[in-house]
Amino acid sequence: MKILKIELENFMCYSGTGNVILFTDGLNLILGGNGYGKTKLYDAFNWVLFDKITDQEGRLTISTNDIQEGLVSKRALADVEDNKEVTALVRLEVVNEKGKHITLQRSYKAMKLSGMEFSGSGKSILTISEKDEFEYKPLGLNGLDDIDGYIREQIIPLDILEYLWFQGERGIKRAVDTSNTQKLQQVINKLSYIDTWERFISATIDTDRRTKDKFDKAVRRSDKNKEKSNKLQRDLNFIQEKLGEIKRELEIHNQEIERTDEQMDDLRMSEGVREDLRNFRDEEYKLKRQLTETEKEYNDILDKANRDLFECFWVIHGTEHVAKKFEDLRETYIYSKHEDRRRAENGLPPIPKGNPSAAHINKMLKDERCNICNRPAEKGSEAYEHINMLLPENYPEVEDNFDPYLHEDALQNLGSSKYRVTHRSDAFKAAAEEIIQRYFVLKNKWKKLEEESRYTEEQKAILLSRYGLESVEGGMKQGEQYMSLSEKKAKLSKEIGKLEAKQEELQEEQNKKNKDLEDLLGDEMDPILSKQMKYFESLLSATKEAKEAQYNKLVDLLSRETNRHYEAINKYSGAFFGKVVFMQNSKGGYFPEIQNENGENVTNGMSTSQLLSMQFSILFAILSANKEYGFNKRYPLIADAPNSAFDAKKKKHLIRQIGTTFEQSIVMMFEYLENDPDRANRYKVDEEGISELLSTMHNEGVDVNVIMLDVPDGINSRDINELTVQIKNL
Amino acid sequence: MEENIIRKLMIKEPKFGKRYEYLFERFSRKWGGSEQDRRDRVKDFAKNYELYIYAFFLGLRKHKSVELEGSEKSRSNVMAIRDWKPEALRDYLVACTLAEDGTPFREYDFMKEGELDKKSFELREIVESYTNGGLSILEEEFKQDKAYFDKPFSFTEFVFE
């Protein structure tokens, strides 16, 4: 099927008539800025065929009844008078695989009641017409089933549509969900002929079972060697029963392992990622702690400096001359007291010259005799008292006969404080400078830590986004769950291995006993029945092997094709991109992983754009690998903004791959545009880029049709829906 | 207890110029508060009297004494001198005041109660004049560059410049 033309009348931002795009074979590029109607055009294709447009997630979920007059150009609704109708219409002209020209025209009428109030039926009208030799004639299709059937058979099969028509990166991620092994298996099955083999196997199992039943009945009828045959039959029944038990157990284990696989697919996280997350979390904690400590330290220093102004007395710096004045005044005061005291001491009687020592005086007092004048001095006598008075402790007290020094103590206290405050004042400045210097060193350290912290935050965001995690802690938990599931799976696999070995052993025994029974009853059994049974057994085994071989062949083919596309998109980027390998899980399903040259899985380390390029490559391979099905040659690819995660180089190679893979493709994109220097906030085609593309595609034998969506000058992007988009064929 | 001039000065509650009230609002926590609270409010002085002491020594260092007329005096005070901390610094301020007045200390021993009272008022005025002088220097700097004192260590650096 090929799309020849689309016409849009008053459909969303395409107001008025004459909005026509003609499509050619090869690559049709629809270029437009954001808000220039690319997605509305994608919606037009879907609406005309399926009566639905896309939601915010790019899914076809919004029906005509959901949106009603939202389908109609706002400008047309604004221009029309009250109580008049406006019709939104999309007409699609295609030619199907049988060469039949078909038009599909869908319309919706809305009536303007007044101002911004509208009414409509909530239902659109679809007319499908086929062209005979001369003209298009409408078909009388009745009901939705008829229409769906017609579209599926004559235009495009609906089950492959999501792989051919998609909107944005979300669309491709949904179509090729590489994290879900079942989904990928479904895709492979749907787009291959594996299901045919499944039908063969099922039919063979059925026939084999019927033949065995016939054979068993024949055995039961036989009399010869009845006893022996009965025993063999009992043994066989027992074996059959055991095999049944093992089969059931295997089924349970396999279901369990499948569930575990699904859970693991959801949590897919390698040990390397866990290690990354763990290191990341440790680094983040360390930085946070250092930041807090440094911030506290430099704030403490600032506080300390403010406190030291007072507590270390820096504030008195430069007032030492006043301290000196105080000290002079105080010394005068103290000197005055010393002088007064000296004067008082001067008033005492002088101590006699040659006064004997205290030891001699005490001896005289003891002997009650004066050794100076050599005469007795009895205790109590005047002479004794005179000797006693010579002892220093008996000298007369100095009497303070001067005015009291009332301020002495208070001034002494002030003096002590003055000494405390000033005695190290020459070191104040150096101490303050040292603290200030230390503050700025710490402040710089803090700034560096803050920068590191910001960098870590950015890395965190990248890491979390890469693994689709909400938080590092969540990721750690997820990793732990993954490990625990992994252990569970290993245990289950071991159990399955044991059960399968037992099953094999029993099957061998069963075969042996069947052979014994056959030999025993050989003469009486219908030889055709025996042959039939053998034939169907070997047919079943052969069919299974053939299916396996075909499946492997298909996966090999898919792998080769995927890598061809993957390499073509990535090889010019300069970055490492590895190789896509399809890995088989325990249930026989496949999931893709990117491996390096040593065969190590590096999927989790790849960037978002590389993973997206892998998904594109798988999708292209699925559509193109099977030449017999050849979807890429039979149906057009329609993609709206498929490549915003790619850099410029990768985008070009993706476009090239689309052009060379599909017989017809329609790609709506923002690329190959540049600011128009002659118009405010408008674009023009990047002629150099387009010329390069045309030349490349020409060499590949692919035609390129370029259409640009434009908006009249002077319109604010907010009002674009209310005005018309202009289509320019370039 | 016998009265002395130091005790009489210590019980005084010195004032500052009304016009400088905004400096106290701007740079100090009027009624104290926690250190964290003070830091949050970007105030460098934990108490009003700290800014008062700072301004006194600034005036003293720069020999700037501006007498304060009664009408110019602020209504609020900065607590009695005896309550200022640290005590050694408070004592040093008193010692400097006595030194600046220059009265020989022996004379205080002979002053009568009334004379001591009169002298203590004179000494309080010395304290207020130097503080007033210091505040006028701060105001000048603040008016020249409103952000000067927002920088860390500005008050410390101002002491040593």
Side-chain angles (χ1 to χ4, degrees), chain A residues 323-569:
Chain A
K324 174 81 175 55
K325 259 196 246 177
F326 171 81
E327 207 44 52
D328 289 347
L329 285 165
R330 197 168 80 91
E331 272 176 18
T332 308
Y333 185 78
I334 293 165
Y335 181 74
S336 163
K337 187 175 179 187
H338 282 165
E339 281 300 294
D340 278 349
R341 179 164 287 274
R342 195 178 55 73
R343 274 193 293 276
E345 282 171 356
N346 287 345
L348 290 175
I351 295 168
K353 279 183 182 171
N355 193 19
S357 69
H360 289 110
I361 296 164
N362 281 326
K363 175 129 181 37
M364 287 193 281
L365 290 170
K366 190 183 167 194
D367 296 345
E368 296 184 18
R369 183 178 184 81
C370 175
N371 292 332
I372 296 163
C373 41
N374 200 19
R375 58 183 178 189
E378 283 175 20
K379 200 170 182 175
S381 66
E382 194 180 342
Y384 186 91
E385 279 311 306
H386 277 152
I387 296 167
N388 196 29
M389 285 295 285
L390 291 173
L391 283 168
E393 61 264 34
N394 293 331
Y395 288 173
E397 283 286 325
V398 178
E399 283 181 28
D400 284 347
N401 56 353
F402 47 83
D403 289 317
Y405 281 74
L406 299 172
H407 287 78
E408 188 180 10
D409 290 346
L411 288 168
Q412 170 67 38
N413 286 340
L414 292 188
S416 302
S417 293
K418 187 226 77 176
Y419 175 76
R420 241 189 96 196
V421 170
T422 58
H423 83 286
R424 295 207 54 205
S425 66
D426 53 349
F428 286 174
K429 194 171 178 183
E433 280 169 357
E434 194 186 320
I435 280 193
I436 292 170
Q437 199 182 358
R438 171 102 185 106
Y439 171 85
F440 284 109
V441 167
L442 281 167
K443 182 105 184 173
N444 280 339
K445 183 181 167 190
W446 183 79
K447 274 187 184 165
K448 272 187 192 156
L449 285 168
E450 214 180 29
E451 268 171 33
E452 269 182 62
S453 193
R454 264 199 299 277
Y455 176 74
T456 312
E457 274 297 316
E458 283 168 17
Q459 292 301 308
K460 178 180 167 184
I462 292 169
L463 193 74
L464 293 178
S465 137
R466 182 179 298 164
Y467 301 120
L469 300 169
E470 283 182 8
S471 67
V472 174
E473 283 69 24
M476 296 292 294
K477 207 170 162 191
Q478 201 167 312
E480 281 159 21
Q481 284 172 345
Y482 184 84
M483 289 307 282
S484 133
L485 286 169
S486 178
E487 281 165 19
K488 183 181 172 186
K489 188 181 160 184
K491 251 187 215 170
L492 284 167
S493 299
K494 206 171 162 188
E495 282 295 309
I496 288 173
K498 276 186 196 167
L499 286 168
E500 281 174 345
K502 183 76 186 160
Q503 190 182 38
E504 206 173 314
E505 198 181 303
L506 284 167
Q507 273 165 347
E508 268 178 32
E509 204 180 334
Q510 190 185 36
N511 287 340
K512 193 173 166 291
K513 286 193 188 286
N514 268 329
K515 176 84 176 54
D516 290 351
L517 191 63
E518 200 183 314
D519 291 347
L520 198 66
L521 305 172
D523 298 341
E524 290 185 14
M525 291 293 289
D526 177 357
I528 294 171
L529 189 62
S530 295
K531 275 184 187 168
Q532 263 182 353
M533 204 175 80
K534 275 185 194 163
Y535 169 74
F536 283 117
E537 270 174 4
S538 61
L539 179 64
L540 178 62
S541 153
T543 315
K544 279 183 177 172
E545 276 171 22
K547 180 221 159 181
E548 189 67 26
Q550 285 301 323
Y551 206 98
N552 286 340
K553 213 169 134 188
L554 184 65
V555 171
D556 276 351
L557 182 64
L558 194 64
S559 170
R560 276 201 307 278
E561 278 290 290
T562 300
N563 278 298
R564 188 171 66 79
H565 292 294
Y566 184 65
E567 193 184 334
I569 297 171

Side-chain angles (χ1 to χ4, degrees), chain B residues 4 9 12 17 23 32 42 46 51 57 63 70 74 76 90 92 97 107-108 114-115 129-130 135 142 146 148 153 160:
Chain B
N4 67 42
L9 176 59
K12 295 280 180 288
L23 290 175
V42 200
L51 176 55
F57 284 115
H63 308 287
S74 64
S76 53
R90 173 203 66 194
Y92 179 70
T97 308
E107 285 183 17
Y108 293 125
E115 288 171 317
S129 300
Y130 276 119
L135 288 170
F142 184 64
K146 285 225 161 23
Y148 178 82
F153 304 105
F160 295 105

